[in-house]
DNA sequence: GTTTCTGCAAAATGTTTGCAACCGA
DNA sequence: TCGGTTGCAAACATTTTGCAGAAAC
């Protein structure tokens, strides 16, 4: 995905191309699982004066046009990532707070079951599993 | 679970039995998937003057002694429920925000896979799935 | 030239903390 | 009595909003 695609997608929905939007998209792509704060920090390293509220508003737009998505990794802020990356599950350890990524295929059967039994169409990108990771489960 | 059990569990860990703790536990059991606000409202209906910060502190204690647990249902506040109830999954529709409950057995295979391939021990009670529910998926 | 965007400041949420008074054991 | 617990107020953290000026097209 290149600069051009951002501009095009924005225009298609009546939005305008701005430097801030490019900076935020770049930051989301560079950092992975970053929250609004992290993104502001990254953006600020490249251009001064960008405001946090712009980050929030921009993430909302980028999500709407389908270039980024977010998950809730438990604690505070949401974690944003580029939709250009292959989808993956998040395994969050409640003890050490580490986040492991896993291929979405692991959930294929589960997702199919939810569709069959509840007519529920799962957003796998947004699937976060909480529990104890390999290292921590032994400490119990 | 009865009043007596709360007092006993509290004492076992060096905590004290108080009217507020009973009220909060009762509220969590009565309401399901309630956030701190809802719980305060319920408690206040029975006894005046209880403070929100007490709700937070009490929920923390009740969770520690294993009588309540919480999940994140997406939006704002966490949702608390009694651990006396049978565990269930939460299916949250991103469009209409409705929460459907589903038996944890549906995730049994998925959970087993995560254990086998990643050594990850899933907390099924905390498993929330986001997506489009039966009614909303057709609107796309 | 219009309309959208942005920065700024303030407001709205949601949660935590310090502290003196209170209460349970 | 002693130490855990609570109410209150203030502090925090995060996200949202109103608005005037700046920027996009």
């Amino acid at each position: 995905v290149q600069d051009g695609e951002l501009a095009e997608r924005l225009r298609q929905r009546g939005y305008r191309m701005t430097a801030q939007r490019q900076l935020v998209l770049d930051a989301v792509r560079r950092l992975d699982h970053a929250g609004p704060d992290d993104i502001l920090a990254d953006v600020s390293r490249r251009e001064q004066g960008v405001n946090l509220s712009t980050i929030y508003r921009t993430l909302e737009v980028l999500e709407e046009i389908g270039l980024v998505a977010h998950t809730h990794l438990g604690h505070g802020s949401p974690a944003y990532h580029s939709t250009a990356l292959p989808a993956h599950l998040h395994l969050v350890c409640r003890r050490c707070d580490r986040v492991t990524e896993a291929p979405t295929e692991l959930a294929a059967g589960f997702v199919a079951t939810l569709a069959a039994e509840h007519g529920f169409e799962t957003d796998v990108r947004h699937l976060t599993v909480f529990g104890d990771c390999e290292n921590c489960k032994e400490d119990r």
Side-chain angles (χ1 to χ4, degrees), chain A residues 1 5-6 9 25 29 62-63 65-69 81-83:
Chain A
V1 196
E5 185 176 343
L6 172 56
R9 289 219 191 198
L25 179 56
R29 286 177 176 161
L62 293 180
E63 192 154 24
I65 65 179
L67 291 179
V68 310
H81 58 269
S82 162
T83 52

Side-chain angles (χ1 to χ4, degrees), chain A residues 22-98:
Chain A
Q22 184 68 59
L23 286 163
V24 171
L25 179 56
D26 290 345
V28 171
R29 286 177 176 161
R30 195 162 16 238
L31 318 166
D32 205 36
H33 299 154
D37 278 352
D38 310 305
I39 293 169
L40 176 62
D42 185 274
V43 167
S44 299
R45 218 167 294 132
R46 281 152 239 280
E47 178 153 337
Q48 305 186 11
V50 178
N51 197 273
L52 225 205
S53 60
T54 299
I55 305 291
Y56 278 98
R57 291 189 275 225
T58 300
L59 286 170
E60 202 179 329
V61 169
L62 293 180
E63 192 154 24
E64 191 191 324
I65 65 179
L67 291 179
V68 310
H70 78 273
T71 0
H72 299 285
L73 261 32
H75 22 62
S77 316
Y80 285 86
H81 58 269
S82 162
T83 52
L85 295 175
H88 52 263
L89 309 174
H90 294 107
L91 312 182
V92 180
C93 179
R94 288 171 312 182
R95 294 172 188 265
C96 64
D97 280 332
R98 280 212 319 184

Side-chain angles (χ1 to χ4, degrees), chain A residues 89 104-125 127:
Chain A
L89 309 174
T104 54
E105 290 86 58
L106 298 186
F110 178 44
V111 168
T113 305
L114 292 180
E117 310 229 341
H118 289 268
F120 192 86
E121 200 162 292
T122 301
D123 173 10
V124 223
R125 279 189 184 276
L127 187 53

